[in-house]
Amino acid sequence: MQFLADDRLEGRDTGSRGLDLAADYMAEQFQRGGLEPAGTDGYRQRMEFEVSRLDESRSSLVLVHNGTVQPLKLGEDAVLVVSSRATDRLEADAVFVGYGLVVPERNYDDLAGLDLTGKVVVYFTGGPPDMPSAIKAHYQSADERRRALRKAGVVGSIAIPNPKSIERPWSRVAASRFEPKMELVDPGYDAPPPLPLAVMFNTDRAGRLFTHSGHSVEALFTAIQEGKPLPRFPLGVRVRATLGMQRSRVTSQNVAGMLPGTDPTLRGEYVAVTAHLDHVGVGEPVNGDRIYSGALDNAAGAASLIEVARAVRESRTKPRRSVLFLAVTGEEKGLLGSQYYATHPTKGPIVADLNMDMYNPLFALRYLEIQGLEESSLGEDVRAVAHRAGVEVQPDQEPEHNRFIRSDQYSFIKTGVPAVTFKFSYLPGTPEEGVFNQWLAERYHAPLDDLEQPVDRAAAARFNALLADLTLRVANADSRPEWRPDSFFRRFVR
Ligand SMILES: [Zn+2]
């Protein structure tokens, strides 16, 4: 972690020299740790990305009502989200569509009965409180949203962060708007393309969108807080956007090493242990610091990958299945490196993914929160190893944050692979809760997630040991992990 989060690696942005150095380091550590190369070029699996950058000096966003123009301040009211498909000029009527969600199996459709062809939709992120969080999370993924909106003929979207689940202050959303946006040149599946216009709107300024609609934004906030259904209505304004963009391409790589299994009948199956190596690079300075070191997000996870590999290799029990250790690129750009691996696997079949992303060893390891705990038989494996380690397991404490689909495990889940991911947890109302929330508010995706921050190293080491134990248990079980019969994610099994 000391090496990976050093300023010299400049925040490990996808496609940067800093991330290449990090990849060299991982490959070297994998080799020293006795892992076999499992990439397409030694330990590396390279891929190409299409890059879009916002040039705000050539951009604007206004609302037009009866010919009167109401300018919006980019960075304060809203930010433009560029992509390979973003158009440089667009004007269209705006319609409020509640949560903008379409969930066929719940007969839930925020777009039904509205003529949205050629329109820009405005929606709150999140969804109705009575909808199971896994379903809600899945249909809020970029792919599913794009698919539904494109089908309805929508040309642009304005997302307003849900006031109930905001996790980054607006200033940091605004600061991140100049980060390059990336897409895989070869995603390996039929990915729905981004919309011609995508905007993120400041929740505190959202009232500006509703001035001419006959509805107050306060009433909508109240409905959200009380879990009442949201109305849908035309906003009585046209959205006019001009986008300045620069486009380019970069190459980056996953780093893969493996330990061959010992059982002739099982060694063709792989247990994947994954962590993203990239972070967001150099950006807007905060207190004079421009380097987003990503120490806990996710240099720590990548470092743990090395430690877990060592522990598994040195353990007296040898894994019956093979184990794949995979450090992926492009996570911060939308889980792209793991997506690429899942659709272009170098080893397989992969039967489980144990993913580490921002597991956050901020205090002693007493409680471990598991995303995916109730979804597959991996939940029982985690419970068993945690019990042995004297750690209490908790299900997702904040399902409204969609964490189960927000890191690399989701790329594997979408190809049918049972997965879990981990976070140091706490009991509500304890000091640890304060530490965790303060970390999110001050350090998450900020330059302060660096090597200076307090980290409980002994607790991190306990976590590594637990994860090595889990890896061995899954690699040695008679049968491979399975989704629970009632799990939403079972649908991806092919
Ligand atoms: Zn992360």
Side-chain angles (χ1 to χ4, degrees), residues 276 297-298 331-332 357-358 407 445:
H276 75 86
D297 185 13
N298 185 36
E331 191 274 347
E332 303 286 7
D357 183 6
M358 227 168 80
S407 185
H445 279 224

Side-chain angles (χ1 to χ4, degrees), residues 200-253:
M200 183 78 82
F201 214 93
N202 184 349
T203 308
D204 292 338
R205 308 279 190 107
R208 295 174 181 232
L209 292 164
F210 295 89
T211 320
H212 304 287
S213 70
H215 292 255
S216 82
V217 76
E218 287 75 21
L220 297 172
F221 287 155
T222 306
I224 290 171
Q225 290 302 344
E226 292 175 353
K228 303 228 171 81
L230 296 180
R232 302 167 306 147
F233 47 84
L235 287 163
V237 291
R238 290 173 73 71
V239 174
R240 185 187 293 164
T242 312
L243 272 75
M245 287 172 283
Q246 284 144 10
R247 295 206 170 97
S248 57
R249 282 193 174 189
V250 293
T251 301
S252 188
Q253 68 268 298

Side-chain angles (χ1 to χ4, degrees), residues 374-377 482-491:
E374 312 297 346
E375 306 295 337
S376 75
S377 61
E482 270 194 65
W483 293 102
R484 294 260 168 85
D486 58 347
S487 172
F488 168 81
F489 299 100
R490 199 183 178 90
R491 67 185 57 202

